[in-house]
Amino acid sequence: LKLCTTYGRNWRSYDPVDEKFKKGTNVLNLIRVLFEKLEDVHGYLFVRKVLALITVSKEGLTHEEIEDLVSLDENVLTSIYEWWEPPVRRCPSMLWKRMLYDLGDFLAERGSHGIPSYGWYHRQFWEAAEEKYLKSPVDRKLAHTSLAKYFNGDFYDQNLPYFDKMGLTKKEANRYTAPQPYMYEGGSVNFRKMAELSYHMLKSEQMEKLVDILCSFEYIEASFRIGASTVLLDYYSTLLESDTISEQKKRRLKEYRSCVSRNTEFLSRHPHCVLQQSVNTG
């Protein structure tokens, strides 16, 4: 009913019935129609990028993250800046805000560790978006890879290549994405990185990189600071069951899992002592 009223609220008495609306024979079809109308207004590549990333995210995405992630996709930026080259090569903030307005209550604003983030308010939207924008394993892996690289800070303060409007001259531009430290100055933890990074590394099958992340003292300390030692141990167990990790990496994982499990109680009270405890316990 809410979907129907959303479509009909701007109709005038003399308007013909929208042919797309006639496809809405059930809830999922109405959602598909909504996605098509968003594509007509905001552009297919932009809508596909945003909705795919929101759908695969673990705890939703913030305003800033969505703008950063779109700014890293050169195909989307080329479609946005079809007729001119901007002085700063980033996605305009207004584009996402306009689309957020058109989505209305269908995107729910949630608090991810006290930080406002956006995700689908109902599972049927998630299912429709996955069917339309993440149909193949390749699409899903690309979306997870994009998020994994972003939260790993791979693009921070980096000049990324692009071609001019004629497609002849190769240039570079900084996209000014947010830094992604494990902890900010003052000791506060980057909750968003801790919530999303390992999840997307695992989903994008970057197992070797994930081992290095899970075995870094910064990551372990941040995990204990936010009370996520159990999650950390679960990741160790999951990776040890993987067939794609070398035996050398597995030995390293076992050593770190043993150290973390033996010192869980102490490190929960003193997370800054991770390096000291690793030396003490050998």
Side-chain angles (χ1 to χ4, degrees):
L1 180 59
K2 191 170 186 178
L3 279 165
C4 292
T5 55
T6 298
Y7 290 129
R9 65 188 175 188
N10 295 321
W11 287 350
R12 293 160 295 198
S13 59
Y14 52 83
D15 286 336
V17 177
D18 191 333
E19 290 299 319
K20 287 185 177 179
F21 185 73
K22 293 180 181 180
K23 301 177 185 177
T25 54
N26 55 44
V27 173
L28 281 177
N29 283 338
L30 280 171
I31 295 172
R32 295 185 188 109
V33 173
L34 171 65
F35 291 165
E36 289 179 14
K37 292 181 76 68
L38 288 172
E39 292 167 8
D40 291 342
V41 174
H42 303 286
Y44 171 74
L45 290 178
F46 178 73
V47 172
R48 176 183 180 178
K49 182 70 175 182
V50 173
L51 298 190
L53 292 174
I54 289 174
T55 302
V56 301
S57 65
K58 186 180 180 184
E59 296 185 4
L61 294 172
T62 68
H63 273 295
E64 295 77 11
E65 289 163 358
I66 290 170
E67 290 176 18
D68 280 354
L69 287 158
V70 173
S71 300
L72 293 169
D73 191 314
E74 190 53 43
N75 291 329
V76 178
L77 285 185
T78 300
S79 70
I80 293 172
Y81 297 116
E82 186 175 357
W83 305 111
W84 70 296
E85 287 190 42
V88 178
R89 199 161 183 80
R90 269 186 65 85
C91 171
S93 299
M94 191 55 65
L95 286 185
W96 158 238
K97 290 177 181 177
R98 286 172 52 208
M99 185 170 144
L100 178 62
Y101 175 81
D102 288 344
L103 279 165
D105 294 335
F106 302 131
L107 271 186
E109 183 176 331
R110 301 185 175 91
S112 175
H113 305 282
I115 304 168
S117 61
Y118 293 91
W120 295 117
Y121 99 106
H122 195 281
R123 183 170 179 81
Q124 284 180 301
F125 282 87
W126 183 88
E127 292 172 351
E130 186 177 55
E131 176 192 64
K132 184 172 179 63
Y133 302 116
L134 299 161
K135 200 165 187 177
S136 73
V138 173
D139 290 333
R140 290 193 293 274
K141 187 172 182 179
L142 284 173
H144 284 297
T145 300
S146 178
L147 285 163
K149 288 183 175 181
Y150 172 72
F151 284 106
N152 198 39
D154 291 358
F155 303 111
Y156 172 65
D157 202 26
Q158 297 293 315
N159 289 327
L160 302 180
Y162 72 97
F163 283 93
D164 64 5
K165 299 310 300 177
M166 300 299 294
L168 300 175
T169 305
K170 190 174 183 180
K171 301 182 177 181
E172 291 187 343
N174 194 321
R175 308 305 163 88
Y176 298 102
T177 58
Q180 295 292 341
Y182 288 105
M183 286 181 285
Y184 299 108
E185 290 184 15
S188 61
V189 176
N190 184 347
F191 283 99
R192 292 292 301 142
K193 177 169 185 168
M194 296 302 294
E196 300 284 342
L197 176 60
S198 299
Y199 173 77
H200 293 296
M201 281 287 183
L202 186 64
K203 289 292 185 179
S204 59
E205 300 175 1
Q206 299 183 68
M207 302 303 193
E208 298 282 328
K209 286 186 178 180
L210 181 53
V211 171
D212 294 334
I213 289 169
L214 296 175
C215 294
S216 70
F217 293 130
E218 286 181 304
Y219 185 92
I220 297 170
E221 179 179 343
S223 296
F224 276 101
R225 284 185 181 275
I226 63 174
S229 58
T230 303
V231 176
L232 176 60
L233 289 169
D234 287 342
Y235 273 121
Y236 287 148
S237 299
T238 300
L239 289 179
L240 285 170
E241 295 174 1
S242 172
D243 296 328
T244 61
I245 298 175
S246 66
E247 288 302 318
Q248 182 182 0
K249 293 277 188 180
K250 284 190 176 183
R251 285 194 297 271
R252 187 182 178 199
L253 277 172
K254 289 177 181 177
E255 290 172 1
Y256 276 80
R257 183 178 67 172
S258 175
C259 177
V260 168
S261 59
R262 280 184 292 174
N263 294 283
T264 296
E265 185 177 347
F266 178 82
L267 291 175
S268 297
R269 300 195 306 271
H270 309 285
H272 60 283
C273 295
V274 170
L275 176 57
Q276 174 188 323
Q277 287 303 106
S278 67
V279 173
N280 292 343
T281 57

